[in-house]
Amino acid sequence: MTSPDSPGIAALRPRLPSPVQEVVDSRFERRGVRLLLKRDDLIHPELIGNKWRKLAPNLAAAADRTVLTFGGAWSNHLRATAAAGRLLGIPTVGVVRGDELAGRPLNPSLARCTADGMRLRFVDRTTYRDKSEPRTLAGILRAADAEEAYVVPEGGSNAEAVRGCRALGAELRGRAEVVAVACGTGGTLAGLAAGQAPGERALGIPVLKGGFLAAETEALQHDAFGGRRGTWSLDERFHCGGYARVPAELDAFAADFEHRHGLPVERLYVAKLLYGLVTLAGEGAFPRGTAVAAVITGHPFP
């Protein structure tokens, strides 16, 4: 099997390990807390952040077969997979939640996917919800004329991806007592925690409501490592109403952070992560002397 370090994938020249940037922010400084930014957004201009870490091992496992994967209308994962397909010459198929979208003009995110050569298939929400059921998945593959495709789950989170994200924790060993990441499907958190040193912990900030991520993260660790690994937890308070919900308060917070630190803040994931950390610092959640690293998993789109 091809490895993530194979010539094809390595030719994309990822910047690894990604840089760590310390920023001085009075909201942390007054509490005696250091804020570090783990700049995974700088790994690759098109396969950014945790998308590189999760996709690279899956692309290696695909071994040049068509890659079929899943996502919503604004999925960062679909865009990253489409870009990887173009860069590596691998055919890609994106199964999109919501058949009502099929007759509408493509939004900028899905338009980027098709520009990168991804074939889109829109499915109804019931089918999408049951996509992991073998019979349903077989039907999706037949309808997409992709029965031999390598299937990557929604968000790219599977055992291969989790093992790929373990390097994120390893890169930060000894740098931060707490490493925080925004979570969609739990794969990055699962791998991050497994790569940390004893005494360090990972904090996940879910960007979707529903309270399902603890079980899914634990299941991913079980698939990847045979059981729970590392010390990790979730704080469910900062989804701001659900995925892709960006209320005015969150947008204003992100704009202020951009002004303070000169960092473009992606709104769907990174803004919620940073908002959560500022809130937690204000609550005294981090002891004085703690270094907290925020994983910057992406930049604004388009």
Side-chain angles (χ1 to χ4, degrees):
M1 180 181 294
T2 308
S3 78
D5 298 320
S6 65
I9 294 172
L12 299 183
R13 297 183 179 180
R15 184 180 181 182
L16 291 170
S18 60
V20 177
Q21 172 188 355
E22 183 165 0
V23 297
V24 178
D25 190 303
S26 60
R27 295 166 293 188
F28 294 84
E29 192 177 29
R30 71 170 64 104
R31 298 282 181 168
V33 176
R34 295 170 56 222
L35 177 63
L36 309 176
L37 306 180
K38 177 63 167 164
R39 297 295 304 273
D40 267 18
D41 58 314
L42 300 178
I43 289 177
H44 189 276
E46 295 184 81
L47 305 183
I48 55 177
N50 56 346
K51 303 309 176 190
W52 173 276
R53 296 186 189 276
K54 293 198 286 186
L55 271 174
N58 275 292
L59 292 169
D64 298 327
R65 285 182 289 162
T66 295
V67 173
L68 180 143
T69 192
F70 303 85
W74 292 94
S75 169
N76 293 329
H77 169 66
L78 286 183
R79 286 203 313 276
T81 304
R86 172 176 57 80
L87 293 167
L88 295 172
I90 297 172
T92 58
V93 178
V95 179
V96 184
R97 179 179 62 248
D99 58 346
E100 73 278 5
L101 300 173
R104 301 178 186 175
L106 297 178
N107 67 29
S109 185
L110 294 178
R112 175 70 62 83
C113 290
T114 59
D116 280 339
M118 176 175 273
R119 290 193 293 119
L120 299 179
R121 299 286 303 183
F122 298 90
V123 300
D124 65 85
R125 292 170 187 273
T126 299
T127 299
Y128 192 90
R129 185 182 64 241
D130 297 336
K131 61 188 178 296
S132 60
E133 297 295 328
R135 183 176 297 179
T136 301
L137 177 59
I140 291 171
L141 292 170
R142 281 196 304 273
D145 192 24
E147 291 178 89
E148 303 302 318
Y150 179 85
V151 178
V152 178
E154 182 177 24
S157 290
N158 56 11
E160 287 80 7
V162 170
R163 288 190 284 265
C165 289
R166 185 167 46 189
L168 173 59
E171 288 171 22
L172 284 164
R173 282 186 167 212
R175 302 290 299 271
E177 288 78 21
V178 179
V179 181
V181 64
C183 300
T185 52
T188 303
L189 176 65
L192 159 65
Q196 289 181 292
E200 299 172 350
R201 65 183 178 94
L203 171 64
I205 303 295
V207 302
L208 295 84
K209 60 182 178 180
F212 56 87
L213 262 185
E216 294 202 359
T217 303
E218 190 148 0
L220 284 166
Q221 286 198 325
H222 188 274
D223 289 345
F225 310 119
R228 188 169 176 128
R229 293 289 186 274
T231 301
W232 57 269
S233 62
L234 296 162
D235 194 318
E236 305 270 0
R237 295 179 291 161
F238 305 110
H239 54 69
C240 298
Y243 185 70
R245 300 290 178 88
V246 184
E249 180 183 3
L250 180 66
D251 190 54
F253 167 84
D256 175 70
F257 197 95
E258 291 172 334
H259 178 73
R260 288 172 184 251
H261 303 298
L263 173 77
V265 176
E266 187 272 334
R267 295 315 199 248
L268 305 189
Y269 288 85
V270 178
K272 295 179 181 182
L273 167 67
L274 296 172
Y275 181 74
L277 290 179
V278 168
T279 301
L280 286 164
E283 294 172 349
F286 308 118
R288 296 187 72 85
T290 300
V292 176
V295 183
I296 308 301
T297 50
H299 52 64
F301 176 85

